[in-house]
Every structure is written in structure tokens, then in C-alpha cells.
Amino acid sequence: MSLKSLNNTQRSAVEEVNGPVLIFAGAGSGKTRVLTHKMYHLIKEEHYKPENILSVTFTNKAAREMKNRVLDLLKTDELDITIGTFHSVCAKLLRKEAKHLKVSNYFAIYDVQDQLDLLKVILKELNITKEQLTPNTARNRISYFKNKMISPKEQLSKARTGIEKNIAEIYAKYQKELISNDALDFDDLLLYPLELFENNPKILLKYQKQWRYILVDEYQDTNRPQFHFLTKLSEKHRQICVVGDDDQSIYGWRGADVRNILDFEKFYPSCKVFTLEKNYRSTQQILDAATAVVTHNDKRAKKNLSAQNGDGEKLGLIETRDELEEADAIISALEKEIKINKRTFSQFAVLYRTNAQSRPLEDSFRKTGIPYNIIGSIRFYDRKEVKDVLAYLRLVINLKDTISLRRIINFPARGIGMKTMDKCVMRSQDDGIELFEVLKKAKELPIRGKQSESLIDFYKLIKKYHALRNKLSASELSRSLIEETGIINQYKQSSDLEDKERYENIAELLNSIDEFSIKKPSSSLSEFLEEVSLLSDIDHWNDSDNRVTLMTVHSSKGLEFPVVFLSGLDDGLFPLYQAIEEKSELEEERRLFYVALTRAQERVFLLYSTNRRRMGGENVVGMPSRFIGEIPADYLDRIEFQSALTRRVVGGPKNKVTKVTVMRTVTTFDDFKVGDIVEHSIFGVGKIMVLSGSGENQRVGVIFKDGTKKKLIVKYANLTKIN
């Protein structure tokens, strides 16, 4: 296969394989295409063995997409190439080299909730109250130190105030407890390889020889540990290619350093630089508006994006009275787009700055019956019942995991309370043995006989499956264990609707383990747990569902949609108040706005409110975001939204106004009866099958011609009788 499908700059970047390469890839300029073709070129033309190539990115979704594309290019079903996220690559490396570390190859990976649970225990032991320091604040500070590669000892030496000394002490104890739990957190996954390389030069040399060529996606989002990881691996061959866009560096709050990409030439003076400026996603109007905003930043590489999809329409700008009217305005514009341009729900995305902004949007979508997916709500694997089952599985794999042990010791209920656990912990400390091993000595503890029997039974149960962990498949072990615990029957037999949902979630979890076992027959339960722990919100997003997508701008990174609504563009909300006074933070907010606009392929709507309810219930008079003011007026179409029922579209220059009035017809309440044929602006013609309530609360159940079934509130549904 040739590289004829690439443009000249893309092809030059792909064919440059001698020494370091830096590729500035503007939004929608085909960076994934370049990376995958480069891997193809390295294998086919430069005779690199697949196992000698390492490709890292930031999401599992991107890694899967990249691998599938390479497989397609090479026309093969399997490829021994390492393509994954930084965390997954490092986790696998650490398990292989565990004998050189303080943890076993079965180490647990603690997510945010696990970290908080551990910190709660530590704060309690240190007699630090929530008023003095919350577990979340402690976690954030510890993560900050790790991202800056500051050890507990270093931080303690720097501490000057009482609170700083407390945090340093907590940090030290936290790291000690992680080791005793045979666990690592996400930051440790990046730090431990550096420690491994530093203490074992032969291991570093082994991986330098293995990964002779390194490719990095989204390089602008790398933090200090990731930078050092890549530098160490590439210092022998200096065959590294990084791709990124400094204008899309939006993760400074979690340690990403845009200087890594801007200063790449300083670290690799001999590097070749390519800039991809042909955009294959958005229209020129969208690109020019986005560029006009981001050019207000000082720290950026100059690039001029040229759209291959024509000029397109201007960006719609809508002023609303409050967040409720803002949601109505989005629904109204969405309906018009569906009618005029025959769009499907999946072609729309509503983006916002913070998760809290989703509530009025969700309310409006539910009321009008429009299906939606929300990214950033409780992940499937973060649901309580799912985490409970996962905790059982994690403890079976790793008997030192006290956080999982504490979570499930009384689930299902065994009559084991906090006081009993405190006695177990004290015995563990006094005897210098693992907390889990204390359980088999329960009869020696000062507790009631029934409680001691429960502890011993629990010990035997976990021990039994621990012995079977390498003898049974992940699927067999999981199903047998969960059945024996009685968890699934407890929920199945309950008449509570929430319990029914919990049962279904556990059943779905077991199904996912079945699928994992079928897909990877030789893989262990430990590998399944690792895969789950490294998933992000966006990895669960299914773009094949015909639903409107609601998400934060951060979550939208790397995605694209024909139509994007960017809501909540009030100054102080986007950009956030706390970012306005700090230049570097304001620049990151501006890059975030740039990312939001460049998710759109064809159409963008910008919305702000003159009055918005903020945290605490107070109403705040709003001003349009300063970023709107940085867009030249020629790129904007002002849309005056008057109410949920009427709107006027105002276009053209400000001194030359044209008005078009669009009326939304609403049938009077109580006009409907079962059997009526009605028309909905989105779903089309349907028949009322069920009717309930009256007045403003009247609800109808409708079956539409395409088979779609909807329960709608008449007040909001905008139904018209047609018989």
C-alpha cells in the first residue's frame, strides 16, 4: 500500500524516520491518520519488527482505534505491537518487573474512591477531622506532589506551616499504607517505572532495546513523570515521534505541562518539525472563530488552519434569561436542525464547563422525550453494587488489599460493625500480621461468638477462591464466588425497584467478565481487574447510539459532532472566576474554548444567560464570556430566543437586522384522548396508547410509526392532533 491518501505534509512526516520528529497537528488535521500510517511505514518500508514499536496515547478508546487502523492497513488480524495508554503500558511493565519492586505482580490499582477510603482511615488514625482537612483535599495535594515528582521526605523538609506538615505526614503514611496493601494509585503507575529504571540500569536497557521506535499521541497533555519516562526510553536510539497541538493543552490542573511540546526542540535540537494545517473536520467559519480566540494566548506555536469542507455557516449566538430558558433554546434549535437538515440525535452534542450544568439540560431532554447520553455521570464500574463485587474479586487476587476487605467485610450483612473491625486492626498492628490473617484468629478477639464465626466464615470463603484464582477462568471464578456470597440472590429476590436495577448491573458485570474470558481465554481475573481499573468515562461512550450527547468540554476532547451547542458561556463560568486573574489559567481556559469549538463539523451554537442560579441558590446577573467578545462579529449570527414557544432569528450585521418568527404550536391541556393520532416535531406521527393526569401534569404514552415508544409530558411535548 502507498501513502497516496496523505497530503504532502502528512506524507513527509510519515516518511521521516531518522531521529526525533515533532508534529504540530491542528484540530481535525488527521493526526491519528499520520500516526497509524507511520506505524505501517515503519513495519512495511523500514523493516521494524512490530514488537520494537511503542505507541502511547491518553485513552483506551484512542488506543483501540489506533490499533484497529494499523491492523487494517497491514491487512492482518493480530499484531505484536505495544499500543496503549501511559497507565496501561506502565502497569504491564511493572507487573513483569515486580520482583524488583516493593509490590507483587498482583498489585491492586486504586481508583479515586479507593484512595479516599484509604485516606479516611489514615486521617482517623492521625486524629485529623474533616473540618481540618478533607480526604479529597489530601488526595489532590498528594497527586500534585507526585505529578511534580516530590517525595514525602522532600515535602516534609519543605513544610513550614502546621497544615503543610500534616499533609506531608499524611502523604508519607499514605504511601506506606499503599505498599502494605500491595497497591498502587494512578500516579504511582507513572512514577514506579522511573524508580525502576534509576535503580536497575539493565532493565532500562532491556526496554530501550525492545522499543526502538516510540510514537506519542496528544503530547501536549504529558506531565513531568510521562516526559521523563519517554526521555529515558528514547535516549539510546533517539527515535521518537511526538504528535500534539499546544492549542489543545487543557489538563494543566492535573499536571500536564504545555512546555513539553513547546520546548521539544530544546530537548531534541536535531528534531524535524512538521505542522499539519489542513483541517478535515470543521468549516472555515468555525476554524477562524476558534483561531481568533486562541491567538490571544502568548504561549503557542503559530499555525493557520485551512478547512477542506468549505466556509460553512456562521456561529449561532443565543442570549437567554436563565439556565432553564437556555435548555429550552437548545431544544428549539435542535428541533429546527432535525426538521430542516434531517439530522439524527447522535449528530448533536451539548457541551458545558462543569458537570453541575447538566441538570437543567437533563430535565428539558427528559420532559420533551429526547434521548440522551450523559458522559461524566456515575460510571458503570463506579456504581456501588458493581464496586462491591469488584472488591470481592480484588481481595481474592490480593489478600493484602485492606480497602477492599473493609468494603465487603459486612456485605452482605454479617453483623460485623466498625468496632469489630477496629479490634481486628489493633490485633493486626500488635501481632505484626496482615489484617486478613487476623480474621482466622477471630475467636481470640474480645468479640461475641457469632461475630467471630462470621469473620472465620468470611476468611474461609476468600481463602477458598484465592486458592482457585489460577485454576478457574475469570468467568467461572466470578460467577461461583458471587453466587456463594448470596449477593445476586439478595437483589434478585427483592421487590425494591432499585435492587432490581442493582441485580441487572451485577448480571451485566458478570456478562462483561464472560466476554473478557471468551475474547482472551488465556487471560486471568487479575488482567480483567486491571483493564477495568484503567477505563475512563469516554471509554464507555457508544457513538452508535442514536442519542444526543451531553458532556463537559474536557470529556469531548478527541471527539467530533456535526452540531455542537456550547452552553453556559457566562463570564465567571467559562472562563471560571478563579482563572480570570491568573494568566496561565486564563490561557488554559481559552484553549479549552478552542477545543469546544473545534469539536463541531458543521454548526456551532453559543449560549449565555443574563441571570443564572449558582451554587448556594443565589441568582447571579450574567455577562457574556469574554471569549465571545474575542470572536469577530462577522462570524456570529445573533439568535434572539424569546420563550419556549416563540423565537426570532436575527441575522446579518448589527445595523441591518432581519427577523424571522418561528412559532411552536401547543395543544391545550386535556384535549387528548386514547386513540388520538398526533404529530411530534421530532418523532413524527404516532398514536396515543396511554393517558394519565390532567392539566399541566397530563402525560401520554405514544407509539410512533417507526416503532418508537415515548412517555411525554403534554406541557413540554409540543404535540399536535392531526385527526
Side-chain angles (χ1 to χ4, degrees), residues 314 633-634 636-638 649-658:
K314 294 183 178 185
D634 290 347
L636 298 173
D637 241 351
R638 294 181 174 271
V649 181
V650 183
K654 289 183 182 178
N655 61 350
K656 200 173 182 180
V657 176
T658 55

Coordinates of all heavy atoms in Angstrom, one line a residue, residues 314 633-634 636-638 649-658:
K314 N -22.3 30.7 9.8 CA -21.8 31.4 11.0 C -22.2 30.7 12.3 O -23.0 29.8 12.3 CB -22.4 32.9 11.0 CG -21.9 33.7 9.8 CD -22.5 35.1 9.9 CE -22.0 36.0 8.7 NZ -22.4 37.4 8.9
A633 N -17.3 39.9 15.0 CA -18.7 39.9 14.9 C -19.2 39.3 13.6 O -20.3 38.7 13.4 CB -19.3 41.3 15.0
D634 N -18.3 39.3 12.5 CA -18.7 38.8 11.2 C -18.9 37.3 11.2 O -19.5 36.7 10.3 CB -17.6 39.1 10.2 CG -17.5 40.6 9.9 OD1 -18.5 41.3 10.2 OD2 -16.5 41.0 9.2
L636 N -20.5 35.7 13.7 CA -21.6 35.4 14.5 C -23.0 35.7 13.9 O -23.2 36.8 13.3 CB -21.5 36.2 15.9 CG -20.2 35.8 16.7 CD1 -20.1 36.8 17.9 CD2 -20.2 34.4 17.2
D637 N -24.0 34.9 14.1 CA -25.4 35.1 13.8 C -26.1 35.2 15.2 O -26.2 34.2 15.9 CB -25.9 33.9 13.1 CG -26.4 34.2 11.7 OD1 -26.5 35.4 11.4 OD2 -26.7 33.3 10.9
R638 N -26.6 36.4 15.5 CA -27.3 36.6 16.7 C -28.8 36.0 16.6 O -29.5 36.4 15.8 CB -27.3 38.0 17.1 CG -26.0 38.5 17.4 CD -26.0 40.0 17.9 NE -24.6 40.4 18.3 CZ -24.1 40.3 19.5 NH1 -24.9 39.8 20.5 NH2 -22.9 40.6 19.8
V649 N -35.2 34.7 14.7 CA -33.8 34.6 14.3 C -33.4 35.9 13.7 O -34.0 36.4 12.8 CB -33.7 33.4 13.3 CG1 -32.3 33.3 12.9 CG2 -34.2 32.1 13.8
V650 N -32.3 36.4 14.3 CA -31.8 37.7 13.8 C -30.5 37.5 13.1 O -29.5 37.1 13.8 CB -31.7 38.7 15.0 CG1 -31.3 40.1 14.4 CG2 -33.0 38.8 15.7
G651 N -30.4 37.8 11.8 CA -29.1 37.6 11.1 C -28.6 38.8 10.5 O -29.2 39.8 10.4
G652 N -27.3 38.7 10.0 CA -26.7 39.8 9.3 C -26.0 40.8 10.2 O -26.0 40.6 11.5
P653 N -25.4 41.8 9.7 CA -24.8 42.8 10.5 C -25.7 43.5 11.5 O -26.9 43.5 11.3 CB -24.3 43.9 9.5 CG -24.3 43.2 8.2 CD -25.4 42.1 8.3
K654 N -25.1 44.0 12.6 CA -25.9 44.6 13.7 C -26.8 45.7 13.3 O -27.9 45.9 13.8 CB -25.0 45.0 14.9 CG -24.4 43.9 15.6 CD -23.6 44.4 16.8 CE -22.9 43.3 17.5 NZ -22.1 43.7 18.6
N655 N -26.4 46.6 12.3 CA -27.1 47.7 11.9 C -28.1 47.4 10.8 O -28.9 48.2 10.3 CB -26.2 48.8 11.4 CG -25.3 48.4 10.2 OD1 -25.3 47.2 9.9 ND2 -24.6 49.3 9.6
K656 N -28.2 46.1 10.4 CA -29.1 45.7 9.4 C -29.8 44.4 9.8 O -29.3 43.3 9.5 CB -28.3 45.5 8.0 CG -29.2 45.5 6.8 CD -28.4 45.5 5.5 CE -29.3 45.6 4.3 NZ -28.4 45.6 3.1
V657 N -30.8 44.5 10.5 CA -31.4 43.3 11.2 C -32.6 42.8 10.3 O -33.5 43.5 9.9 CB -32.0 43.7 12.6 CG1 -32.7 42.5 13.2 CG2 -30.8 44.2 13.4
T658 N -32.5 41.5 10.1 CA -33.7 40.8 9.5 C -34.3 39.8 10.5 O -33.6 39.2 11.3 CB -33.2 39.9 8.3 OG1 -32.2 39.1 8.7 CG2 -32.7 40.8 7.2

